[in-house]
Amino acid sequence: EAVGQSSAVAEMHAQIGRLEQFAGVVKTQVLPRLGMAVVRLDSRDSQEKLAERLKHDPAVELAVPDTTVAILDFMGKGAPAERSAARYLQTSAGINDTFGQGIPAALTQCSAHPACRMRQLVGNCCPASTGVMLSCCSHHELERVRLEAHSGDVLVAHGVGNLMAVHGPSPASSVFMLVPGRNESGVMFRTPFDKYVRSDRNGDIHADLDAPQDEAEFSIFWNEDHTVSLSTVYGGFLSVDGSGKVSAKGAEVTQSERFTMVALPGADERFSNDPGFSRQWGMHSYRNFDIDAPEAWKIWTGEVGRGITVAVIDSGIDYNHPDLKEQLWVNPLEIPDNGIDDDGNGFIDDVHGANFNRDTGDPMDDQSHGTHVAGTIAGIGNNGLGVVGVAWRGVRLMGLKFLDAEGEGRTSDAIRALEYAVAHGAKVTSNSWGGAASSSALRVAIERAEAAGVLFAAAAGNTGANNDEFATFPANYDIKNIVSVASIASAGQLSSFSCFGNSTVHLGAPGHRILSTVPGGGYAYHSGTSMAAPHVSGVAALVWMFRPQLTMHQVRSIVVGSVMPIPSLEGKTITGGLLNAKNALEAAWAFHPPNPPSAGPKAVAFEDTDEGIGTYGGTVTIEAASDESDIDYYRVYFVSGAGYQLDALGGSIAATGQKYLTLKLNSSFSPPKYAKSLVAVSGNATGERPVQSNHTPTINLVDYGLPRGGPRGLEWRGDVDDRPGFLGGSLLLNRARSEASVTHYNVYWAAPRPNRTRGPLVSKVPAEGFQEPLCSGPTCSRFNISVLPDGGRRFENRNYGGDESAVIKASGPGTIVFTEFNTEQYYDSLKIGDRTLYGDLAETVSLPYTMDLPAGPVEIAWVTDVSISLTGWVFEVHQTGRIAEHYIGPTRVLGDKFEVIAAFGRFELTNDTQFVEVLDNNGALPPPHVSAPWSLRDLGLHLSNGSLTGAVEILPSPAAHSGNVDFYQVDLADSTGEVIGDGAWRAPSNGGSPVVIEIDVEVLPEDVAYLVARAGNEHGLGDEYAFLALPSTLGEEGPADDVGDGEADDDASDDVDGDDDQNDRRMHSEDRAETPGPEHLAAGFPGMGAVE
């Protein structure tokens, strides 16, 4: 239930605190910016009882039940394609006739255009005082295009009426005027000689018509590779052969029938280089029923503005999409991926927005609707990728997910999203959702957003109904911050699905077959008033960045009042017109532009003092301008690597006449994504100097960060370089529990004596993003979490409760093994990457059930509703990659120990280091660990009447060579790994080739359990073994885990884990009070390598 009240925030918290004692209340949330609260209850009966009680509470203005709303995307909702096509045919002819005749005379009068009236212009075709032509003063210019064949040849017209494809530079005769045809996809091409291109019945192409005729019309078909194919009225497709001849004889599309249609901007246009731009008819179309985006971009793209935050209240945003990720809003008070609600707003790690459907800080889109909306608003412009949004740069897209994967959501969650938008500084919200049911709580929330100066763009609805009679909410609310938007199609007609209303819908915008971004880095066409509304959001953002001093109501008046009247919207909308970005910017031009200072600061300095990774703190110092006569203040901004202005850092710094000014940052902050440097600018009441101005002082951001933990253990596998004074071999490193704050590990020669500076750097071991399983969220305390022998984790959540949520973050590769799993179908789910589990797992697979975890970060998200709870689940997470094997050398020996330190960039964690002893194998030592046999294999052993005969094969280590291994020896051992008996069989080393040894024992000792193999040389035997279990003794069983003396080991170099957890994977001949680890038998690999 949404409860609105007008008391102070403290009183609200007290009031809601009392409601928490009411039976059936599950959760409450105060929305202080809107003066409201949301109360979640366990049943409809509890809801009705509480609503009835609150009706009599004098402190409560209204208390209403929650409702449901849905997306207003027409795709997938049974679009009547045939009816739509018929309507195009019925209406397009009349529209094209009007279009072909130019703008009707009545529309050339300034009185017919709000943009002209706002400047008090009168008469016919009056220019603005700035010299910029207004739409009422403009005439329609036909599209100029060039056609390029698949071979790269360009189509060229000749004055004699021929059309050819030529190679080389494009002459002036290769430019054609694109004239709209009589059907929706029809066009005609007019040559520079004022002739029309035509096809005859034989498929021959001519350029000799003086006036349009049926034979001059071609139908455009867009191919998936962004090329076009052109069909004649006789059914043939235009093609070019190897000689350059142009014809239209083929009925199918091959490479020869594919052309690149290059649109050429006019003098008053600026085109984007994004490959999908030519298919974004809503931005620019030869039919001219578009928002005149290129004409607007000629004036302003937002690239040098202060920026603006637009909240997309929808199904979320794919914040990894390459055409969106640089435009995302970043919460400056939230530290990413630390599992903490840093800003105390109730959401953990809400870096780019929040998820109100799941109550998390992750607004990732699982439906595609919100991502599509976001791309229309602010897809990155002119980056040569995908599509372009209305606002090229400067918009900060805030993802506020309240709609689920089915496109449905609660009104209360929409209200919570609106509260978040207001609280975090959004100026525009895009709302492509709604329903037939009105909610007084939602109406109040929008009214209070209006009071906060937030514009609310709303989709009018897709039922094709008249909203004056059959309302769609929230678009129908009569609130002065709402802009209700209908949809038009490319031929200028009102979309067949679009709602309309002469007194309830403000304007129309492109909404049919709109190309935009979708999750996964892709692009797709969607239709609906959902696609029309974000065009309005984008234009509003563009206007507001162009004139930042405007109020919300002024921006709304400009957007609504600057439409281009079109016949199909007359009587169907309040304005009778189509959204027009160029008109809107021209209308905003009437307001005085900023007059920023003539000089800027001389220099800026900043040094990070915050130890957190990805967070900054400290003091910014600015050297003031020499002349501050027109300077009121200074401000510091983040700047991207490409030089684009991002968010401001802190507040402004008043100009006081002092030479040096400081901005002290009282709390840590996270920079926006892609921020690479800081820039200082000067400003006054009218505006600020652009960050791209000459001599603007800039300083690169250098993150001073310390790793949160160091390595947990080391093992030196022995020197394989037998030259005296040189060292080479493998270092095994047990990584930090989390490498989120580690870029690498520095390996130094340790100081020879205490309190001495350590020696030179030997090597660097790269971090790989390893993360031990870490649980965050309110339900983690309910889980039973235990450590497994291999360092993995076991998670148990039996008989779980309602409204649980938790996220377990780990890293792959590895596996997750389920031994129990039974949850409520659909509603209580465990999401692992892109796979979601629910229900009784044993009904579909055999338990235990193993899933592979891919390399890289892995999230395991658990969420339940408030209804049915079942027996729950138990699973184990096993990771590989915990141990890093790093080869060092050959290097000169400068000591007897290595010291290893975790580092983040050039900063080291010096209070959490590890040491390991290293010995120079100068030719006088037994074989090192790394030279131990790789495996010991049975080649046909026979055990009979207490005797053992046959042969075994030794697979040498890749590190073994004639210099440090002369022979291999096989012995008998008991179940603890202790060598017993008199048998000792040797065979010379064979380099890297396997070695076979014959075994013959007449009487086996009673307690024999294994054969063990070691490497040796003239200085003795190595201290690591390969094991082979005798089948009559152990069968498939391996020996007990680990080896040691049962006491804590004081030598950090021996405790590889660094945590005494009995998981070390090595064998030393002097430490065998316990049995050797079974990993050696299973993997056939001695030492820590078995963990891999």
Side-chain angles (χ1 to χ4, degrees):
E1 295 179 3
V3 182
Q5 59 185 58
S6 57
S7 57
V9 174
E11 294 176 355
M12 286 182 61
H13 280 282
Q15 172 84 355
I16 300 306
R18 291 192 293 272
L19 288 183
E20 290 176 351
Q21 308 304 316
F22 186 82
V25 172
V26 176
K27 188 176 181 179
T28 64
Q29 182 182 356
V30 175
L31 310 178
R33 297 297 181 118
L34 301 180
M36 306 178 74
V38 172
V39 181
R40 185 174 297 174
L41 296 107
D42 60 4
S43 67
R44 185 171 297 277
D45 181 62
S46 298
Q47 174 181 279
E48 292 173 354
K49 289 179 179 178
L50 181 57
E52 183 62 29
R53 174 180 173 179
L54 293 177
K55 287 181 181 178
H56 306 289
D57 189 331
V60 179
E61 290 182 15
L62 62 100
V64 297
D66 206 351
T67 55
T68 301
V69 293
I71 61 173
L72 297 176
D73 181 342
F74 202 60
M75 298 301 289
K77 304 297 183 183
E82 295 81 10
R83 187 180 65 186
S84 298
R87 182 168 183 177
Y88 298 155
L89 295 175
Q90 292 167 8
T91 59
S92 61
I95 291 174
N96 289 332
D97 289 344
T98 303
F99 181 83
Q101 297 167 6
I103 299 175
L107 297 183
T108 65
Q109 296 295 315
C110 290
S111 58
H113 292 264
C116 300
R117 294 200 306 269
M118 290 182 70
R119 301 192 190 191
Q120 299 181 338
L121 299 176
V122 296
N124 187 26
C125 292
C126 302
S129 58
T130 60
V132 176
M133 297 294 289
L134 294 180
S135 297
C136 64
C137 314
S138 304
H139 64 279
H140 168 60
E141 291 187 3
L142 294 176
E143 185 85 10
R144 300 163 61 247
V145 298
R146 182 180 294 121
L147 288 172
E148 298 177 357
H150 72 99
S151 61
D153 294 348
V154 179
L155 268 62
V156 175
H158 296 285
V160 295
N162 293 334
L163 194 67
M164 293 289 293
V166 300
H167 193 70
S170 303
S173 56
S174 67
V175 178
F176 297 86
M177 306 304 290
L178 202 61
V179 180
R182 294 183 177 276
N183 63 69
E184 184 187 10
S185 62
V187 294
M188 291 179 280
F189 296 92
R190 196 172 74 199
T191 73
F193 307 102
D194 285 332
K195 302 291 184 180
Y196 286 85
V197 178
R198 69 177 177 89
S199 170
D200 61 24
R201 293 182 180 275
N202 298 322
D204 295 322
I205 301 299
H206 312 274
D208 57 2
L209 282 179
D210 293 322
Q213 294 182 15
D214 289 343
E215 287 186 335
E217 185 155 331
F218 295 83
S219 293
I220 297 181
F221 295 89
W222 288 97
N223 301 311
E224 292 182 356
D225 58 358
H226 297 291
T227 61
V228 298
S229 295
L230 301 169
S231 173
T232 71
V233 293
Y234 300 109
F237 282 93
L238 200 70
S239 66
V240 175
D241 64 17
S243 66
K245 182 180 179 181
V246 182
S247 64
K249 299 179 184 294
E252 296 182 357
V253 175
T254 67
Q255 282 297 105
S256 299
E257 283 78 25
R258 294 173 184 257
F259 295 85
T260 300
M261 190 162 65
V262 181
L264 306 175
D268 295 326
E269 296 175 328
R270 182 181 179 186
F271 280 10
S272 163
N273 66 5
D274 301 286
F277 168 64
S278 61
R279 304 175 75 172
Q280 291 182 270
W281 71 265
M283 302 291 179
H284 179 71
S285 168
Y286 63 90
R287 293 183 175 278
N288 209 33
F289 291 107
D290 53 59
I291 68 168
D292 279 348
E295 292 86 344
W297 296 333
K298 186 72 173 182
I299 302 171
W300 179 254
T301 62
E303 291 173 283
V304 296
R306 288 180 55 181
I308 188 173
T309 300
V310 176
V312 179
I313 302 178
D314 210 287
S315 64
I317 298 176
D318 177 4
Y319 42 75
N320 296 319
H321 198 292
D323 231 359
L324 296 174
K325 59 185 181 180
E326 292 183 29
Q327 302 277 64
L328 294 169
W329 173 78
V330 175
N331 186 346
L333 301 179
E334 193 72 22
I335 299 172
D337 300 324
N338 68 347
I340 300 172
D341 179 13
D342 301 287
D343 58 1
N345 67 356
F347 293 96
I348 294 173
D349 293 335
D350 54 322
V351 178
H352 301 305
N355 184 334
F356 301 89
N357 182 257
R358 292 291 194 182
D359 281 332
T360 72
D362 184 5
M364 176 57 74
D365 187 5
D366 57 3
Q367 207 283 335
S368 87
H369 190 262
T371 301
H372 197 277
V373 166
T376 298
I377 298 170
I380 302 171
N382 227 37
N383 66 343
L385 180 68
V387 297
V388 57
V390 177
W392 279 19
R393 296 277 180 173
V395 166
R396 302 286 165 259
L397 293 167
M398 178 189 292
L400 302 182
K401 176 178 174 59
F402 86 101
L403 298 171
D404 61 18
E406 301 301 319
E408 297 181 347
R410 296 172 174 170
T411 300
S412 58
D413 288 340
I415 292 172
R416 295 168 60 210
L418 188 57
E419 157 79 14
Y420 188 104
V422 174
H424 291 83
K427 305 291 285 183
V428 178
T429 66
S430 196
N431 305 273
S432 293
W433 46 270
S438 175
S439 167
S440 52
L442 180 58
R443 174 182 54 78
V444 169
I446 298 172
E447 288 173 346
R448 292 178 180 175
E450 177 199 3
V454 176
L455 186 70
F456 192 96
N462 294 338
T463 63
N466 185 343
N467 280 2
D468 294 352
E469 301 175 3
F470 305 99
T472 297
F473 297 101
N476 263 58
Y477 292 129
D478 186 14
I479 306 173
K480 301 307 179 187
N481 64 335
I482 291 180
V483 179
S484 177
V485 191
S487 167
I488 70 157
S490 60
Q493 72 274 33
L494 182 72
S495 297
S496 60
F497 53 77
S498 179
C499 292
F500 56 92
N502 190 43
S503 61
T504 53
V505 178
H506 295 94
L507 49 78
H512 180 257
R513 282 191 57 78
I514 301 301
L515 181 65
S516 188
T517 50
V518 292
Y523 304 85
Y525 290 97
H526 284 202
S527 295
T529 53
S530 281
M531 286 59 254
H535 285 86
V536 171
S537 302
V539 171
L542 206 61
V543 168
W544 224 329
M545 289 189 290
F546 184 56
R547 290 293 184 263
Q549 74 272 26
L550 295 176
T551 67
M552 179 273 294
H553 291 112
Q554 288 174 322
V555 171
R556 179 176 181 263
S557 296
I558 288 172
V559 171
V560 174
S562 60
V563 298
M564 172 67 74
I566 61 174
S568 66
L569 294 179
E570 184 177 354
K572 299 291 187 178
T573 63
I574 296 172
T575 61
L578 172 64
L579 176 73
N580 192 281
K582 171 178 175 279
N583 285 1
L585 287 181
E586 289 177 344
W589 204 308
F591 294 86
H592 292 296
N595 184 23
S598 56
K602 293 182 177 179
V604 61
F606 173 71
E607 183 173 354
D608 181 24
T609 59
D610 185 279
E611 294 182 358
I613 306 301
T615 59
Y616 293 75
T619 300
V620 180
T621 302
I622 293 175
E623 184 178 355
S626 301
D627 180 7
E628 291 187 329
S629 58
D630 60 350
I631 298 175
D632 295 335
Y633 63 88
Y634 299 94
R635 197 184 302 274
V636 178
Y637 287 96
F638 294 101
V639 180
S640 72
Y644 291 110
Q645 175 180 315
L646 304 175
D647 298 335
L649 173 61
S652 60
I653 310 168
T656 61
Q658 296 179 343
K659 184 175 181 180
Y660 295 103
L661 303 169
T662 59
L663 173 63
K664 185 172 178 58
L665 305 173
N666 297 321
S667 61
S668 299
F669 65 89
S670 297
K673 211 167 190 178
Y674 308 105
K676 299 298 182 184
S677 56
L678 295 175
V679 61
V681 300
S682 55
N684 55 33
T686 71
E688 298 175 352
R689 284 176 60 85
V691 299
Q692 292 88 353
S693 302
N694 292 331
H695 311 299
T696 301
T698 304
I699 185 169
N700 291 333
L701 279 172
V702 177
D703 188 3
Y704 167 64
L706 291 179
R708 299 189 181 98
R712 289 175 289 156
L714 304 171
E715 181 179 342
W716 175 245
R717 301 288 292 162
D719 180 17
V720 297
D721 190 325
D722 55 9
R723 295 177 298 168
F726 286 87
L727 192 77
S730 293
L731 176 69
L732 301 185
L733 179 147
N734 193 352
R735 299 180 183 275
R737 297 185 187 278
S738 172
E739 289 186 330
S741 58
V742 179
T743 57
H744 63 281
Y745 304 87
N746 288 329
V747 182
Y748 294 97
W749 285 107
R753 292 190 298 275
N755 302 322
R756 293 286 298 272
T757 303
R758 60 175 175 262
L761 180 70
V762 180
S763 186
K764 293 183 178 182
V765 182
E768 294 184 353
F770 178 78
Q771 171 67 62
E772 279 192 351
L774 177 67
C775 188
S776 62
T779 311
C780 290
S781 59
R782 280 185 46 88
F783 298 166
N784 183 9
I785 306 174
S786 56
V787 180
L788 300 171
D790 67 350
R793 295 295 186 272
R794 176 185 174 92
F795 293 87
E796 300 180 28
N797 187 24
R798 291 188 172 94
N799 300 317
Y800 60 87
D803 204 24
E804 291 191 352
S805 65
V807 175
I808 300 167
K809 294 184 178 181
S811 64
T815 59
I816 178 170
V817 181
F818 290 92
T819 55
E820 300 177 31
F821 194 94
N822 188 15
T823 68
E824 183 186 9
Q825 191 83 358
Y826 304 118
Y827 299 105
D828 302 339
S829 63
L830 194 70
K831 185 174 184 181
I832 307 161
D834 58 358
R835 184 171 181 183
T836 302
L837 301 180
Y838 46 70
D840 187 352
L841 192 59
E843 292 182 352
T844 56
V845 297
S846 299
L847 297 179
Y849 174 64
T850 301
M851 289 177 57
D852 291 330
L853 298 178
V858 176
E859 281 197 1
I860 305 170
W862 166 245
V863 64
T864 72
D865 66 1
V866 296
S867 58
I868 301 172
S869 298
L870 298 179
T871 56
W873 42 256
V874 178
F875 64 82
E876 297 177 355
V877 178
H878 301 270
Q879 298 169 286
T880 57
R882 178 171 64 96
I883 305 299
E885 183 170 7
H886 182 73
Y887 184 79
I888 292 177
T891 184
R892 287 191 176 275
V893 176
L894 298 177
D896 60 0
K897 287 185 179 181
F898 286 150
E899 180 181 9
V900 180
I901 304 173
F904 176 76
R906 59 187 177 90
F907 305 108
E908 297 179 329
L909 183 66
T910 57
N911 61 354
D912 188 5
T913 65
Q914 293 284 339
F915 295 85
V916 64
E917 185 177 19
V918 295
L919 296 178
D920 179 13
N921 180 11
N922 55 11
L925 293 174
H929 298 174
V930 73
S931 297
W934 196 282
S935 69
L936 183 60
R937 191 162 68 94
D938 183 353
L939 289 186
L941 291 173
H942 300 283
L943 184 62
S944 176
N945 299 323
S947 65
L948 180 68
T949 59
V952 293
E953 181 184 65
I954 296 173
L955 180 64
S957 163
H961 55 81
S962 59
N964 61 26
V965 177
D966 296 333
F967 61 87
Y968 292 98
Q969 177 172 310
V970 176
D971 293 282
L972 301 172
D974 62 18
S975 60
T976 68
E978 186 74 31
V979 173
I980 60 175
D982 299 328
W985 299 270
R986 288 188 178 185
S989 169
N990 191 21
S993 300
V995 174
V996 177
I997 296 181
E998 296 289 337
I999 305 296
D1000 185 4
V1001 184
E1002 291 185 1
V1003 180
L1004 285 172
E1006 291 184 0
D1007 52 352
V1008 68
Y1010 302 102
L1011 291 177
V1012 295
R1014 288 176 287 180
N1017 59 29
E1018 62 179 310
H1019 302 289
L1021 291 167
D1023 60 2
E1024 288 207 10
Y1025 302 91
F1027 292 85
L1028 177 63
L1030 298 180
S1032 65
T1033 303
L1034 294 178
E1036 296 302 319
E1037 289 286 335
D1041 190 15
D1042 208 1
V1043 174
D1045 54 12
E1047 298 178 0
D1049 195 335
D1050 293 331
D1051 188 351
S1053 68
D1054 285 344
D1055 181 12
V1056 182
D1057 293 315
D1059 52 10
D1060 297 325
D1061 65 358
Q1062 299 297 305
N1063 289 324
D1064 304 339
R1065 302 292 184 256
R1066 67 192 183 288
M1067 282 294 299
H1068 297 300
S1069 59
E1070 67 272 19
D1071 286 335
R1072 278 198 302 273
E1074 299 179 14
T1075 53
E1079 296 83 358
H1080 304 170
L1081 300 177
F1085 185 90
M1088 286 183 61
V1091 175
E1092 300 297 316

